[in-house]
Amino acid sequence: MTWQDNIQAFCSQYNIPIEHLADTLKEPKVVPMIRGKAFEFTVLERLRVILPEDTWTVQKDIMNAQLGTHDEDVTIMNNLSERRISVECKLAGKGRFKKLANGNYYINVKCMRSRTLGAAMIERLAPQLGISTEVLGIHNDQYRSTDFDLVVTSIGNAFYETDEDGLFIWAPDEDGEEFLGLLLGYHNNNELQQLAFNKMYVNTSANLSVGNGMQTCVRRKCTNQNNCGFIPNYPPIVFNGDTLQPINGWIPIESIQDLLLNML
């Protein structure tokens, strides 16, 4: 079945007028969810290209996780040891790019739960996590480093903005164009947009969680802001202004195998 046939079958099954499918998908409330889910498949295909298939199996299980549990966006398994490594796929935050005064560049990754934990779920999960209900309540939309092993992100979303109609548009500012030109080479706008989306970086969840000495918790009610163990909603990628290489633990996705081998 071709992708066109799949789309026709999907629209028929869910009573979606196919002539208005594009209009439905570009609604401001729909686009972020669609783009986030689609990015998981982009990461899946990229990892299958990067990782030797005789050593690694990369898969994506279609799951419907219950509130409070966490499904795996993408799973990498070492074929020899059968060690499973879970990958969380998160786009950069919309408009979350800036040039720092010291000449470095800064992009935030949007890394938070899509649904916050309610009181009943907090009561059930806190004992399982070995923390108090008060602590989990303060961090009820945040991940812990034990929820997954790795985070993969694309930097492209940091250069989108919302226009006057509420639609997502590609709109890097002057500093953004400078950064992208230096990082990716100077191309026309359409090429630059695609190259930025395909520029991906990976980090461990342990590196991103508060307590590694690289960041502190900004929750005002958090009583352990230097070591609470939660991942901030917008962990940063900091790029050296001269080398354009990340300086806080992120590495290009092309180098992920070295990271994976160290985790075995």
Side-chain angles (χ1 to χ4, degrees):
M1 182 179 288
T2 67
W3 64 267
Q4 294 95 331
D5 292 333
N6 276 328
I7 289 176
Q8 287 184 329
F10 174 82
C11 290
S12 177
Q13 180 178 359
Y14 294 105
N15 302 316
I16 300 170
I18 195 167
E19 65 272 19
H20 293 294
L21 178 60
D23 296 321
T24 301
L25 295 179
K26 71 180 183 182
E27 281 287 325
K29 292 182 180 180
V30 177
V31 170
M33 179 176 58
I34 295 294
R35 294 185 75 235
K37 180 57 66 175
F39 181 55
E40 297 173 15
F41 291 93
T42 300
V43 172
L44 174 74
E45 296 303 326
R46 176 68 71 84
L47 291 176
R48 284 177 171 172
V49 171
I50 293 172
L51 296 173
E53 61 181 11
D54 59 337
T55 305
W56 308 96
T57 297
V58 186
Q59 60 191 29
K60 176 173 176 55
D61 297 323
I62 305 300
M63 301 177 64
N64 184 21
Q66 300 299 310
L67 183 61
T69 63
H70 189 73
D71 64 327
E72 296 181 0
D73 290 347
V74 175
T75 303
I76 302 172
M77 186 181 73
N78 180 265
N79 296 335
L80 180 62
S81 68
E82 297 189 348
R83 163 82 159 89
R84 295 174 65 91
I85 297 170
S86 59
V87 180
E88 186 74 6
C89 304
K90 296 294 187 184
L91 293 170
K94 177 173 66 70
R96 290 273 183 158
F97 165 84
K98 62 181 176 181
K99 184 176 182 179
L100 304 178
N102 63 5
N104 291 343
Y105 300 96
Y106 195 97
I107 288 176
N108 291 104
V109 178
K110 186 178 182 181
C111 191
M112 66 185 76
R113 295 180 182 273
S114 58
R115 294 176 290 179
T116 58
L117 301 175
M121 189 59 65
I122 288 173
E123 289 285 345
R124 183 171 73 83
L125 285 180
Q128 298 177 22
L129 298 174
I131 58 178
S132 69
T133 56
E134 291 77 14
V135 169
L136 189 55
I138 291 168
H139 300 277
N140 67 349
D141 65 343
Q142 292 180 280
Y143 294 116
R144 291 173 64 83
S145 61
T146 51
D147 287 330
F148 38 79
D149 298 306
L150 300 175
V151 176
V152 171
T153 190
S154 157
I155 67 171
N157 207 48
F159 305 96
Y160 276 81
E161 297 290 351
T162 304
D163 69 9
E164 60 274 12
D165 296 319
L167 300 177
F168 285 76
I169 60 170
W170 171 257
D173 61 14
E174 185 176 341
D175 287 336
E177 289 181 349
E178 173 193 70
F179 170 74
L180 292 172
L182 294 171
L183 182 68
L184 305 172
Y186 290 90
H187 297 78
N188 67 47
N189 206 36
N190 289 336
E191 289 177 328
L192 200 59
Q193 178 180 348
Q194 193 61 39
L195 288 169
F197 180 76
N198 288 321
K199 190 65 174 177
M200 302 180 198
Y201 294 90
V202 59
N203 205 343
T204 66
S205 59
N207 278 346
L208 298 179
S209 62
V210 172
N212 62 5
M214 295 168 59
Q215 50 198 332
T216 58
C217 182
V218 298
R219 296 289 165 101
R220 288 181 295 176
K221 293 184 178 181
C222 179
T223 58
N224 190 11
Q225 293 183 320
N226 292 318
N227 194 28
C228 67
F230 287 88
I231 297 175
N233 289 155
Y234 288 94
I237 310 176
V238 183
F239 294 85
N240 180 282
D242 295 320
T243 66
L244 300 180
Q245 295 299 313
I247 58 177
N248 62 332
W250 294 88
I251 62 171
I253 194 172
E254 291 79 10
S255 301
I256 192 173
Q257 184 169 214
D258 295 335
L259 185 60
L260 294 172
L261 291 173
N262 287 333
M263 299 175 70
L264 296 181

Short mmCIF file of all heavy atoms in Angstrom, two decimals, residues 70-134:
data_model
loop_
_atom_site.label_atom_id
_atom_site.label_comp_id
_atom_site.label_asym_id
_atom_site.label_seq_id
_atom_site.Cartn_x
_atom_site.Cartn_y
_atom_site.Cartn_z
N HIS A 70 5.45 5.89 31.14
CA HIS A 70 6.14 6.56 30.05
C HIS A 70 6.43 5.56 28.94
O HIS A 70 7.07 4.53 29.17
CB HIS A 70 7.44 7.17 30.55
CG HIS A 70 8.09 8.05 29.52
ND1 HIS A 70 7.60 9.28 29.18
CD2 HIS A 70 9.19 7.84 28.74
CE1 HIS A 70 8.36 9.81 28.24
NE2 HIS A 70 9.32 8.96 27.95
N ASP A 71 5.94 5.86 27.75
CA ASP A 71 6.24 5.00 26.61
C ASP A 71 7.57 5.43 25.99
O ASP A 71 8.02 6.54 26.19
CB ASP A 71 5.12 5.05 25.57
CG ASP A 71 4.96 6.42 24.96
OD1 ASP A 71 5.20 7.41 25.68
OD2 ASP A 71 4.61 6.53 23.78
N GLU A 72 8.18 4.53 25.26
CA GLU A 72 9.46 4.81 24.61
C GLU A 72 9.21 5.32 23.21
O GLU A 72 8.56 4.65 22.41
CB GLU A 72 10.33 3.55 24.59
CG GLU A 72 10.73 3.06 25.98
CD GLU A 72 11.62 1.83 25.93
OE1 GLU A 72 11.93 1.35 24.81
OE2 GLU A 72 12.01 1.34 27.00
N ASP A 73 9.74 6.50 22.90
CA ASP A 73 9.58 7.03 21.55
C ASP A 73 10.28 6.13 20.54
O ASP A 73 9.72 5.75 19.51
CB ASP A 73 10.15 8.45 21.46
CG ASP A 73 9.31 9.46 22.23
OD1 ASP A 73 8.17 9.12 22.62
OD2 ASP A 73 9.80 10.58 22.45
N VAL A 74 11.55 5.83 20.83
CA VAL A 74 12.35 4.94 19.99
C VAL A 74 13.19 4.07 20.91
O VAL A 74 13.64 4.53 21.97
CB VAL A 74 13.27 5.75 19.04
CG1 VAL A 74 14.20 4.82 18.26
CG2 VAL A 74 12.46 6.60 18.08
N THR A 75 13.37 2.82 20.52
CA THR A 75 14.18 1.90 21.32
C THR A 75 15.36 1.41 20.49
O THR A 75 15.21 1.02 19.33
CB THR A 75 13.35 0.68 21.77
OG1 THR A 75 12.22 1.13 22.51
CG2 THR A 75 14.19 -0.24 22.65
N ILE A 76 16.54 1.44 21.10
CA ILE A 76 17.76 0.91 20.48
C ILE A 76 18.18 -0.32 21.29
O ILE A 76 18.30 -0.24 22.51
CB ILE A 76 18.90 1.94 20.49
CG1 ILE A 76 18.48 3.21 19.76
CG2 ILE A 76 20.16 1.35 19.86
CD1 ILE A 76 19.49 4.35 19.89
N MET A 77 18.39 -1.42 20.62
CA MET A 77 18.82 -2.64 21.32
C MET A 77 20.14 -3.12 20.75
O MET A 77 20.31 -3.21 19.53
CB MET A 77 17.78 -3.74 21.21
CG MET A 77 18.14 -4.98 22.05
SD MET A 77 16.93 -6.32 21.92
CE MET A 77 17.28 -6.92 20.26
N ASN A 78 21.08 -3.41 21.65
CA ASN A 78 22.33 -4.02 21.23
C ASN A 78 22.08 -5.50 20.98
O ASN A 78 21.60 -6.22 21.85
CB ASN A 78 23.40 -3.83 22.30
CG ASN A 78 24.72 -4.45 21.91
OD1 ASN A 78 25.02 -5.58 22.28
ND2 ASN A 78 25.53 -3.71 21.16
N ASN A 79 22.38 -5.96 19.78
CA ASN A 79 22.03 -7.33 19.39
C ASN A 79 22.80 -8.39 20.16
O ASN A 79 22.30 -9.51 20.32
CB ASN A 79 22.25 -7.52 17.89
CG ASN A 79 21.35 -6.64 17.05
OD1 ASN A 79 20.28 -6.24 17.50
ND2 ASN A 79 21.79 -6.33 15.83
N LEU A 80 23.98 -8.06 20.66
CA LEU A 80 24.78 -9.05 21.38
C LEU A 80 24.34 -9.15 22.84
O LEU A 80 24.05 -10.24 23.34
CB LEU A 80 26.26 -8.69 21.29
CG LEU A 80 27.23 -9.64 22.02
CD1 LEU A 80 27.14 -11.05 21.41
CD2 LEU A 80 28.66 -9.12 21.93
N SER A 81 24.27 -8.01 23.51
CA SER A 81 23.94 -8.01 24.94
C SER A 81 22.44 -7.95 25.21
O SER A 81 21.99 -8.23 26.31
CB SER A 81 24.61 -6.83 25.63
OG SER A 81 24.05 -5.61 25.19
N GLU A 82 21.67 -7.57 24.18
CA GLU A 82 20.22 -7.35 24.29
C GLU A 82 19.88 -6.22 25.26
O GLU A 82 18.78 -6.12 25.76
CB GLU A 82 19.48 -8.63 24.68
CG GLU A 82 19.59 -9.72 23.63
CD GLU A 82 18.69 -10.91 23.92
OE1 GLU A 82 18.14 -11.00 25.03
OE2 GLU A 82 18.53 -11.75 23.01
N ARG A 83 20.85 -5.37 25.51
CA ARG A 83 20.62 -4.17 26.33
C ARG A 83 19.73 -3.21 25.55
O ARG A 83 20.03 -2.87 24.41
CB ARG A 83 21.95 -3.51 26.66
CG ARG A 83 21.88 -2.07 27.15
CD ARG A 83 21.54 -1.99 28.63
NE ARG A 83 21.95 -0.71 29.19
CZ ARG A 83 21.21 0.40 29.22
NH1 ARG A 83 20.00 0.40 28.69
NH2 ARG A 83 21.70 1.51 29.77
N ARG A 84 18.63 -2.78 26.15
CA ARG A 84 17.69 -1.86 25.52
C ARG A 84 17.95 -0.44 26.03
O ARG A 84 18.06 -0.22 27.25
CB ARG A 84 16.25 -2.26 25.83
CG ARG A 84 15.86 -3.60 25.22
CD ARG A 84 14.48 -4.03 25.68
NE ARG A 84 13.44 -3.13 25.20
CZ ARG A 84 12.79 -3.29 24.06
NH1 ARG A 84 13.07 -4.32 23.27
NH2 ARG A 84 11.84 -2.45 23.69
N ILE A 85 18.03 0.50 25.12
CA ILE A 85 18.28 1.90 25.45
C ILE A 85 17.12 2.71 24.90
O ILE A 85 16.81 2.66 23.71
CB ILE A 85 19.62 2.37 24.84
CG1 ILE A 85 20.77 1.56 25.47
CG2 ILE A 85 19.83 3.86 25.05
CD1 ILE A 85 22.10 1.77 24.79
N SER A 86 16.45 3.43 25.78
CA SER A 86 15.26 4.19 25.39
C SER A 86 15.65 5.61 24.99
O SER A 86 16.47 6.26 25.63
CB SER A 86 14.24 4.22 26.52
OG SER A 86 14.79 4.80 27.69
N VAL A 87 15.01 6.07 23.91
CA VAL A 87 15.31 7.38 23.34
C VAL A 87 14.06 8.25 23.38
O VAL A 87 13.01 7.85 22.87
CB VAL A 87 15.81 7.26 21.89
CG1 VAL A 87 16.11 8.64 21.31
CG2 VAL A 87 17.04 6.37 21.82
N GLU A 88 14.17 9.41 23.97
CA GLU A 88 13.09 10.39 23.97
C GLU A 88 13.37 11.42 22.88
O GLU A 88 14.49 11.95 22.79
CB GLU A 88 13.01 11.08 25.34
CG GLU A 88 11.84 12.01 25.50
CD GLU A 88 10.51 11.30 25.68
OE1 GLU A 88 10.50 10.06 25.78
OE2 GLU A 88 9.48 12.00 25.72
N CYS A 89 12.39 11.70 22.04
CA CYS A 89 12.56 12.60 20.91
C CYS A 89 11.87 13.93 21.22
O CYS A 89 10.65 13.97 21.36
CB CYS A 89 11.98 11.98 19.64
SG CYS A 89 12.67 10.36 19.25
N LYS A 90 12.64 14.99 21.30
CA LYS A 90 12.09 16.29 21.68
C LYS A 90 12.62 17.38 20.75
O LYS A 90 13.84 17.51 20.57
CB LYS A 90 12.48 16.64 23.13
CG LYS A 90 11.90 15.71 24.18
CD LYS A 90 10.38 15.83 24.25
CE LYS A 90 9.82 15.03 25.40
NZ LYS A 90 8.32 15.08 25.42
N LEU A 91 11.71 18.15 20.18
CA LEU A 91 12.12 19.28 19.35
C LEU A 91 12.63 20.43 20.21
O LEU A 91 12.27 20.55 21.40
CB LEU A 91 10.94 19.77 18.51
CG LEU A 91 10.42 18.80 17.44
CD1 LEU A 91 9.11 19.32 16.87
CD2 LEU A 91 11.44 18.61 16.34
N ALA A 92 13.44 21.29 19.64
CA ALA A 92 13.81 22.52 20.32
C ALA A 92 12.55 23.35 20.57
O ALA A 92 11.55 23.23 19.85
CB ALA A 92 14.80 23.32 19.47
N GLY A 93 12.57 24.17 21.60
CA GLY A 93 11.42 25.03 21.88
C GLY A 93 11.24 26.08 20.80
O GLY A 93 12.21 26.63 20.28
N LYS A 94 10.00 26.36 20.46
CA LYS A 94 9.70 27.38 19.44
C LYS A 94 10.27 28.73 19.85
O LYS A 94 10.01 29.23 20.94
CB LYS A 94 8.19 27.48 19.24
CG LYS A 94 7.76 28.56 18.24
CD LYS A 94 6.27 28.49 17.98
CE LYS A 94 5.46 28.85 19.22
NZ LYS A 94 5.55 30.28 19.57
N GLY A 95 11.08 29.32 18.97
CA GLY A 95 11.64 30.63 19.23
C GLY A 95 12.70 30.66 20.32
O GLY A 95 13.11 31.74 20.76
N ARG A 96 13.20 29.49 20.70
CA ARG A 96 14.11 29.41 21.84
C ARG A 96 15.58 29.42 21.40
O ARG A 96 16.38 28.58 21.81
CB ARG A 96 13.81 28.15 22.65
CG ARG A 96 12.49 28.19 23.39
CD ARG A 96 12.68 28.84 24.73
NE ARG A 96 11.45 28.84 25.53
CZ ARG A 96 11.42 28.95 26.85
NH1 ARG A 96 12.56 29.04 27.52
NH2 ARG A 96 10.29 28.99 27.49
N PHE A 97 15.94 30.40 20.59
CA PHE A 97 17.33 30.61 20.20
C PHE A 97 17.75 32.01 20.61
O PHE A 97 16.97 32.96 20.51
CB PHE A 97 17.50 30.48 18.69
CG PHE A 97 18.82 31.04 18.19
CD1 PHE A 97 19.97 30.28 18.22
CD2 PHE A 97 18.90 32.35 17.73
CE1 PHE A 97 21.18 30.81 17.79
CE2 PHE A 97 20.11 32.89 17.30
CZ PHE A 97 21.25 32.11 17.33
N LYS A 98 18.99 32.13 21.08
CA LYS A 98 19.53 33.47 21.33
C LYS A 98 21.06 33.43 21.28
O LYS A 98 21.69 32.40 21.50
CB LYS A 98 19.06 34.01 22.68
CG LYS A 98 19.50 33.21 23.89
CD LYS A 98 18.95 33.84 25.17
CE LYS A 98 19.30 33.02 26.40
NZ LYS A 98 18.75 33.61 27.65
N LYS A 99 21.61 34.60 20.95
CA LYS A 99 23.05 34.77 20.99
C LYS A 99 23.40 35.41 22.31
O LYS A 99 22.81 36.44 22.70
CB LYS A 99 23.52 35.64 19.83
CG LYS A 99 25.04 35.79 19.75
CD LYS A 99 25.46 36.58 18.51
CE LYS A 99 26.98 36.67 18.42
NZ LYS A 99 27.41 37.41 17.20
N LEU A 100 24.35 34.82 23.03
CA LEU A 100 24.74 35.33 24.34
C LEU A 100 25.75 36.46 24.21
O LEU A 100 26.41 36.62 23.18
CB LEU A 100 25.31 34.20 25.19
CG LEU A 100 24.41 32.97 25.39
CD1 LEU A 100 25.13 31.91 26.21
CD2 LEU A 100 23.10 33.36 26.05
N ALA A 101 25.89 37.23 25.28
CA ALA A 101 26.80 38.37 25.28
C ALA A 101 28.25 37.94 25.07
O ALA A 101 29.06 38.72 24.55
CB ALA A 101 26.65 39.15 26.58
N ASN A 102 28.59 36.71 25.50
CA ASN A 102 29.97 36.23 25.34
C ASN A 102 30.26 35.65 23.97
O ASN A 102 31.35 35.13 23.72
CB ASN A 102 30.29 35.20 26.43
CG ASN A 102 29.42 33.96 26.33
OD1 ASN A 102 28.62 33.79 25.41
ND2 ASN A 102 29.55 33.07 27.31
N GLY A 103 29.27 35.73 23.06
CA GLY A 103 29.46 35.24 21.70
C GLY A 103 29.01 33.81 21.47
O GLY A 103 28.97 33.34 20.33
N ASN A 104 28.66 33.10 22.55
CA ASN A 104 28.13 31.76 22.40
C ASN A 104 26.67 31.81 21.96
O ASN A 104 26.02 32.85 22.03
CB ASN A 104 28.25 30.97 23.72
CG ASN A 104 29.68 30.65 24.09
OD1 ASN A 104 30.58 30.73 23.24
ND2 ASN A 104 29.93 30.29 25.33
N TYR A 105 26.16 30.65 21.52
CA TYR A 105 24.76 30.55 21.09
C TYR A 105 24.03 29.56 21.99
O TYR A 105 24.62 28.61 22.50
CB TYR A 105 24.69 30.10 19.63
CG TYR A 105 25.38 31.02 18.66
CD1 TYR A 105 26.69 30.77 18.25
CD2 TYR A 105 24.75 32.15 18.16
CE1 TYR A 105 27.34 31.60 17.35
CE2 TYR A 105 25.38 33.00 17.26
CZ TYR A 105 26.68 32.72 16.86
OH TYR A 105 27.32 33.54 15.98
N TYR A 106 22.74 29.77 22.12
CA TYR A 106 21.97 29.06 23.14
C TYR A 106 20.62 28.64 22.54
O TYR A 106 19.89 29.46 21.99
CB TYR A 106 21.75 30.04 24.29
CG TYR A 106 21.28 29.50 25.61
CD1 TYR A 106 22.18 29.24 26.62
CD2 TYR A 106 19.92 29.31 25.88
CE1 TYR A 106 21.77 28.79 27.87
CE2 TYR A 106 19.50 28.87 27.12
CZ TYR A 106 20.42 28.61 28.11
OH TYR A 106 20.01 28.17 29.35
N ILE A 107 20.33 27.35 22.61
CA ILE A 107 19.05 26.82 22.15
C ILE A 107 18.46 25.97 23.26
O ILE A 107 19.15 25.12 23.83
CB ILE A 107 19.22 25.97 20.87
CG1 ILE A 107 19.54 26.87 19.67
CG2 ILE A 107 17.98 25.14 20.58
CD1 ILE A 107 19.82 26.11 18.38
N ASN A 108 17.18 26.19 23.56
CA ASN A 108 16.50 25.37 24.57
C ASN A 108 15.74 24.23 23.90
O ASN A 108 15.10 24.41 22.86
CB ASN A 108 15.51 26.20 25.38
CG ASN A 108 16.19 27.20 26.27
OD1 ASN A 108 16.21 28.38 25.98
ND2 ASN A 108 16.74 26.73 27.39
N VAL A 109 15.78 23.08 24.53
CA VAL A 109 15.02 21.91 24.08
C VAL A 109 13.77 21.80 24.95
O VAL A 109 13.84 21.86 26.17
CB VAL A 109 15.87 20.63 24.20
CG1 VAL A 109 15.06 19.40 23.79
CG2 VAL A 109 17.14 20.76 23.37
N LYS A 110 12.62 21.65 24.31
CA LYS A 110 11.37 21.51 25.05
C LYS A 110 11.25 20.07 25.53
O LYS A 110 11.00 19.16 24.74
CB LYS A 110 10.17 21.89 24.19
CG LYS A 110 8.85 21.91 24.95
CD LYS A 110 7.70 22.35 24.06
CE LYS A 110 6.40 22.41 24.85
NZ LYS A 110 5.26 22.82 23.99
N CYS A 111 11.41 19.86 26.84
CA CYS A 111 11.47 18.50 27.38
C CYS A 111 10.60 18.42 28.63
O CYS A 111 11.09 18.57 29.75
CB CYS A 111 12.92 18.13 27.70
SG CYS A 111 13.17 16.38 28.08
N MET A 112 9.31 18.19 28.43
CA MET A 112 8.39 18.10 29.56
C MET A 112 7.26 17.15 29.23
O MET A 112 7.05 16.78 28.08
CB MET A 112 7.82 19.49 29.89
CG MET A 112 6.95 20.07 28.80
SD MET A 112 6.42 21.77 29.14
CE MET A 112 7.92 22.67 28.78
N ARG A 113 6.55 16.73 30.25
CA ARG A 113 5.40 15.85 30.05
C ARG A 113 4.32 16.58 29.27
O ARG A 113 4.09 17.78 29.49
CB ARG A 113 4.82 15.40 31.39
CG ARG A 113 5.74 14.52 32.23
CD ARG A 113 5.05 14.13 33.53
NE ARG A 113 5.89 13.34 34.40
CZ ARG A 113 6.01 12.01 34.34
NH1 ARG A 113 5.30 11.35 33.43
NH2 ARG A 113 6.80 11.36 35.17
N SER A 114 3.64 15.86 28.40
CA SER A 114 2.53 16.47 27.66
C SER A 114 1.31 16.64 28.54
O SER A 114 0.46 17.49 28.28
CB SER A 114 2.18 15.61 26.44
OG SER A 114 1.83 14.29 26.83
N ARG A 115 1.23 15.85 29.61
CA ARG A 115 0.13 15.98 30.56
C ARG A 115 0.70 15.99 31.97
O ARG A 115 1.50 15.14 32.33
CB ARG A 115 -0.86 14.81 30.42
CG ARG A 115 -1.61 14.78 29.10
CD ARG A 115 -2.49 13.55 29.00
NE ARG A 115 -1.69 12.34 28.86
CZ ARG A 115 -2.21 11.10 28.78
NH1 ARG A 115 -3.52 10.94 28.83
NH2 ARG A 115 -1.42 10.05 28.63
N THR A 116 0.27 16.95 32.78
CA THR A 116 0.74 17.02 34.15
C THR A 116 0.08 15.93 34.99
O THR A 116 -1.01 15.44 34.67
CB THR A 116 0.45 18.39 34.78
OG1 THR A 116 -0.97 18.62 34.72
CG2 THR A 116 1.17 19.49 34.02
N LEU A 117 0.74 15.55 36.05
CA LEU A 117 0.22 14.51 36.94
C LEU A 117 -0.81 15.11 37.90
O LEU A 117 -0.54 16.12 38.55
CB LEU A 117 1.36 13.88 37.73
CG LEU A 117 2.48 13.22 36.91
CD1 LEU A 117 3.59 12.75 37.82
CD2 LEU A 117 1.92 12.06 36.09
N GLY A 118 -1.97 14.48 37.98
CA GLY A 118 -2.99 14.91 38.92
C GLY A 118 -2.72 14.39 40.32
O GLY A 118 -1.80 13.58 40.54
N ALA A 119 -3.53 14.83 41.27
CA ALA A 119 -3.31 14.48 42.68
C ALA A 119 -3.34 12.97 42.91
O ALA A 119 -2.50 12.43 43.64
CB ALA A 119 -4.36 15.18 43.54
N ALA A 120 -4.31 12.28 42.30
CA ALA A 120 -4.42 10.84 42.51
C ALA A 120 -3.20 10.10 41.96
O ALA A 120 -2.68 9.17 42.59
CB ALA A 120 -5.70 10.31 41.85
N MET A 121 -2.73 10.52 40.77
CA MET A 121 -1.56 9.88 40.17
C MET A 121 -0.31 10.18 40.97
O MET A 121 0.58 9.32 41.12
CB MET A 121 -1.40 10.35 38.73
CG MET A 121 -0.34 9.60 37.93
SD MET A 121 -0.66 7.82 37.83
CE MET A 121 -2.19 7.82 36.87
N ILE A 122 -0.21 11.38 41.51
CA ILE A 122 0.94 11.72 42.35
C ILE A 122 0.98 10.83 43.59
O ILE A 122 2.05 10.32 43.97
CB ILE A 122 0.88 13.21 42.74
CG1 ILE A 122 1.20 14.08 41.53
CG2 ILE A 122 1.84 13.51 43.89
CD1 ILE A 122 1.00 15.56 41.77
N GLU A 123 -0.17 10.59 44.20
CA GLU A 123 -0.25 9.72 45.38
C GLU A 123 0.21 8.31 45.03
O GLU A 123 0.86 7.64 45.85
CB GLU A 123 -1.68 9.68 45.91
CG GLU A 123 -2.14 10.97 46.58
CD GLU A 123 -1.54 11.14 47.97
OE1 GLU A 123 -1.01 10.14 48.52
OE2 GLU A 123 -1.61 12.26 48.51
N ARG A 124 -0.11 7.84 43.84
CA ARG A 124 0.25 6.47 43.45
C ARG A 124 1.71 6.35 43.05
O ARG A 124 2.38 5.36 43.36
CB ARG A 124 -0.65 6.02 42.30
CG ARG A 124 -0.41 4.57 41.88
CD ARG A 124 -1.46 4.09 40.90
NE ARG A 124 -1.28 4.68 39.59
CZ ARG A 124 -0.45 4.21 38.67
NH1 ARG A 124 0.32 3.17 38.94
NH2 ARG A 124 -0.37 4.78 37.48
N LEU A 125 2.23 7.37 42.33
CA LEU A 125 3.57 7.27 41.77
C LEU A 125 4.68 7.61 42.76
O LEU A 125 5.77 7.05 42.67
CB LEU A 125 3.69 8.17 40.54
CG LEU A 125 3.03 7.71 39.25
CD1 LEU A 125 3.25 8.74 38.16
CD2 LEU A 125 3.58 6.36 38.81
N ALA A 126 4.42 8.53 43.65
CA ALA A 126 5.49 8.99 44.55
C ALA A 126 6.19 7.86 45.30
O ALA A 126 7.43 7.80 45.32
CB ALA A 126 4.93 10.04 45.52
N PRO A 127 5.44 6.93 45.91
CA PRO A 127 6.13 5.81 46.60
C PRO A 127 6.95 4.95 45.65
O PRO A 127 8.02 4.45 46.02
CB PRO A 127 4.97 5.01 47.22
CG PRO A 127 3.82 5.96 47.28
CD PRO A 127 3.98 6.84 46.09
N GLN A 128 6.47 4.77 44.42
CA GLN A 128 7.21 3.98 43.45
C GLN A 128 8.53 4.64 43.08
O GLN A 128 9.53 3.96 42.81
CB GLN A 128 6.37 3.77 42.19
CG GLN A 128 5.07 3.01 42.41
CD GLN A 128 4.26 2.90 41.14
OE1 GLN A 128 4.78 3.02 40.02
NE2 GLN A 128 2.96 2.67 41.28
N LEU A 129 8.54 5.98 43.06
CA LEU A 129 9.75 6.71 42.71
C LEU A 129 10.64 6.97 43.91
O LEU A 129 11.77 7.45 43.75
CB LEU A 129 9.37 8.05 42.06
CG LEU A 129 8.59 7.97 40.75
CD1 LEU A 129 8.15 9.37 40.30
CD2 LEU A 129 9.41 7.31 39.67
N GLY A 130 10.14 6.67 45.10
CA GLY A 130 10.93 6.89 46.31
C GLY A 130 11.05 8.34 46.71
O GLY A 130 12.05 8.74 47.33
N ILE A 131 10.04 9.15 46.35
CA ILE A 131 10.04 10.56 46.73
C ILE A 131 8.70 10.90 47.36
O ILE A 131 7.73 10.13 47.27
CB ILE A 131 10.30 11.48 45.51
CG1 ILE A 131 9.25 11.24 44.42
CG2 ILE A 131 11.70 11.25 44.96
CD1 ILE A 131 9.40 12.13 43.22
N SER A 132 8.62 12.05 47.98
CA SER A 132 7.39 12.44 48.65
C SER A 132 6.37 12.97 47.64
O SER A 132 6.73 13.40 46.54
CB SER A 132 7.67 13.52 49.70
OG SER A 132 8.04 14.74 49.06
N THR A 133 5.11 12.94 48.04
CA THR A 133 4.07 13.50 47.17
C THR A 133 4.26 15.00 46.99
O THR A 133 3.93 15.55 45.94
CB THR A 133 2.68 13.22 47.76
OG1 THR A 133 2.60 13.75 49.10
CG2 THR A 133 2.38 11.73 47.78
N GLU A 134 4.80 15.67 48.01
CA GLU A 134 5.04 17.11 47.91
C GLU A 134 6.06 17.41 46.81
O GLU A 134 5.87 18.32 46.00
CB GLU A 134 5.53 17.67 49.26
CG GLU A 134 4.49 17.69 50.36
CD GLU A 134 4.26 16.33 50.99
OE1 GLU A 134 5.09 15.41 50.76
OE2 GLU A 134 3.24 16.16 51.68
#
